[in-house]
Amino acid sequence: LRDVENWIEIKSARANNLKKIDVRFPVGRFSVITGISGSGKSTLMHDVILPTVRESLGSARVPRAGEGILPSRTSQLRLWPKDSRKEKSSLPQNAATSTLQACAPQIAAVYEVDQSPIGKTSRSTPGTYVKVFDEIRNLYAQLPVSRVRGYSASRFSFNAEGGRCETCKGQGVIKLEMNFLPSSYVPCEDCRGRRYNPQTLEVLYNEKSIGDVMEMTIEEGAQFFSAHPKIARTLSLLVDTGLGYLKLGQPSPTLSGGEAQRLKLVTQLKRGVNRAADERIRKMRKPGSTLYLLEEPTIGLHMADIELLLNVLHRLVDEGNTVIVIEHNLSVIAEADYIVDLGPEAGDAGGEIVACGTPEQVAKNRVSRTAPFLRKVLKAPRVL
Ligand SMILES: [Zn+2]
């Protein structure tokens, strides 16, 4: 950590049971907040870090024309709605006060990434979510047949009239409403689940129609579109992060929480790659660091999924972003660059920083409730 130049530094943070703590996190690194349940971890993340960093973003940076402080797709990454969030703690709510001492100017935006679904209908698919489907539609619109027939990119959208099957309105399925029974879905008989009308499906690229593409897995798609870097690059990124088995046209609501979470993070990676390229050309300097906040991201995940999640988080950090997670999973804690351990106990007996530093440093602490477990993990052969 010696080579960390910038820190997010917060002084005298007071909220719920937090007792005027001074806390800091390294910019461009992977930090984990640990501590027993009720020690103040959520309060630190939701009531201190997020509002403080956001406030400093608002005051320190006035967005120039055409440049927002937050990337545009915030609605799909739940940003904490300050008023609607249910207070977890039953402790008397003290006014949350803290002063941000030195929020590194490198922090350009702040996000929470959770496991909530990324779409409620089959109109959203992994392909549409990461925007790669737009590129694929453009490709189909540029084919000679499309030009002759006057098909534009929107012709190849299953969410717009023109190219889609109108019987199922591009959903590929028909909803059956039955009295006294939960509604169910059956494949559309007209398009046989392919979402498009026959004329649209006549347009072929390498002998495949847009309907065939929807049936491809992401991994197959990366191969199929290898001659088109813009498409292939995004799909390869999804393959790298273990999502290659998903179908391009798979309805988003069928994704698991862990899959949805990874897809959101990969979308951030893709944005980072593009933005880095843009900014380097424009300003010849390193792009700003985005701060990602995740609360117990490994809940409900299998070991293999945890490993994939960690890979994505490490990649975000490698690109200069800052990641802070609340976590109980020791495999994740052991991988941190920096740990802030809260406690020592819950409620009024907690809310203080017990230890902070690298996993090795925190493991040596004699008061920390996390340290004994961490010592075991660090001694044992690596689990991941
Ligand atoms: Zn149909």
Side-chain angles (χ1 to χ4, degrees):
L1 287 169
R2 290 227 177 86
D3 53 338
V4 173
E5 288 172 25
N6 300 294
W7 295 76
I8 298 168
E9 229 170 319
I10 296 169
K11 299 269 184 197
S12 324
R14 205 156 57 86
N16 285 339
N17 66 336
L18 291 184
K19 298 183 176 67
K20 292 189 83 172
I21 59 168
D22 295 346
V23 65
R24 60 179 202 156
F25 296 91
V27 171
R29 295 300 154 101
F30 175 38
S31 298
V32 179
I33 303 171
T34 59
I36 60 169
S37 191
S39 57
K41 303 187 297 296
S42 287
T43 301
L44 177 59
M45 183 177 274
H46 296 266
D47 299 340
V48 176
I49 300 173
L50 181 81
T52 315
V53 170
R54 188 174 286 163
E55 198 174 300
S56 87
L57 280 176
S59 60
R61 269 192 65 185
V62 180
R64 285 181 286 264
E67 179 200 36
I69 287 176
L70 294 168
S72 56
R73 285 165 47 145
T74 51
S75 60
Q76 281 152 335
L77 296 160
R78 186 169 63 87
L79 292 164
W80 287 292
K82 219 182 168 187
D83 308 318
S84 63
R85 199 176 65 77
K86 205 170 145 275
E87 279 299 328
K88 273 189 180 171
S89 172
S90 56
L91 292 164
Q93 164 88 47
N94 300 323
T97 57
S98 54
T99 48
L100 188 70
Q101 203 66 11
C103 176
Q106 285 77 10
I107 298 292
V110 54
Y111 274 123
E112 184 202 23
V113 182
D114 61 17
Q115 293 190 13
S116 64
I118 57 172
K120 289 196 175 75
T121 71
S122 57
R123 303 206 171 283
S124 165
T125 73
T128 59
Y129 185 78
V130 300
K131 301 272 184 197
V132 74
F133 201 61
D134 294 350
E135 303 291 342
I136 295 174
R137 290 195 288 122
N138 285 334
L139 172 63
Y140 271 85
Q142 280 159 23
L143 296 172
V145 189
S146 297
R147 292 182 173 216
V148 170
R149 295 189 185 182
Y151 289 177
S152 68
S154 72
R155 173 89 199 189
F156 298 95
S157 166
F158 54 87
N159 287 328
E161 270 180 57
R164 70 181 181 191
C165 165
E166 279 307 316
T167 309
C168 61
K169 300 241 180 311
Q171 301 242 40
V173 289
I174 302 279
K175 192 176 182 181
L176 290 183
E177 309 254 23
M178 287 172 286
N179 288 334
F180 313 117
L181 286 170
S183 51
S184 61
Y185 294 87
V186 292
C188 170
E189 284 185 7
D190 270 7
C191 63
R192 276 173 288 157
R194 302 180 77 196
R195 295 173 181 251
Y196 294 92
N197 61 35
Q199 294 76 24
T200 309
L201 294 174
E202 281 166 15
V203 181
L204 303 181
Y205 167 73
N206 281 353
E207 299 178 3
K208 300 282 184 196
S209 72
I210 189 90
D212 296 329
V213 170
M214 298 281 285
E215 286 297 313
M216 288 178 189
T217 65
I218 287 169
E219 192 162 12
E220 288 164 351
Q223 286 278 319
F224 184 73
F225 292 108
S226 56
H228 296 269
K230 251 186 151 175
I231 300 171
R233 209 188 306 140
T234 303
L235 293 178
S236 300
L237 201 56
L238 291 166
V239 174
D240 289 350
T241 47
L243 292 170
Y245 59 89
L246 295 177
K247 279 186 182 176
L248 278 165
Q250 184 167 338
S252 293
T254 65
L255 302 182
S256 73
E259 288 165 346
Q261 179 174 253
R262 277 212 303 286
L263 202 53
K264 291 176 197 176
L265 289 168
V266 173
T267 309
Q268 295 294 312
L269 273 176
K270 179 190 167 222
R271 195 202 315 276
V273 171
N274 294 339
R275 191 182 48 201
D278 288 353
E279 292 211 3
R280 224 169 283 145
I281 295 163
R282 219 169 49 225
K283 295 176 189 161
M284 299 298 283
R285 66 171 175 84
K286 282 178 83 178
S289 178
T290 298
L291 171 61
Y292 295 98
L293 303 175
L294 296 91
E295 181 162 9
E296 305 200 47
T298 64
I299 277 187
L301 299 191
H302 297 292
M303 207 59 206
D305 277 341
I306 294 176
E307 193 173 347
L308 291 167
L309 173 72
L310 276 169
N311 287 344
V312 182
L313 294 179
H314 283 311
R315 281 186 73 153
L316 281 168
V317 168
D318 288 345
E319 288 183 4
N321 297 299
T322 307
V323 175
I324 303 177
V325 305
I326 293 175
E327 195 47 78
H328 289 115
N329 185 303
L330 285 162
S331 321
V332 177
I333 298 172
E335 292 243 340
D337 295 315
Y338 190 76
I339 294 173
V340 171
D341 190 49
L342 294 179
E345 306 297 331
D348 276 345
E352 289 181 76
I353 292 177
V354 177
C356 58
T358 63
E360 290 75 14
Q361 287 167 340
V362 171
K364 285 183 193 137
N365 189 285
R366 292 289 146 192
V367 185
S368 164
R369 300 277 224 107
T370 310
F373 299 101
L374 204 48
R375 280 198 287 275
K376 270 184 215 160
V377 175
L378 291 175
K379 237 183 266 170
R382 282 164 57 88
V383 189
L384 285 176

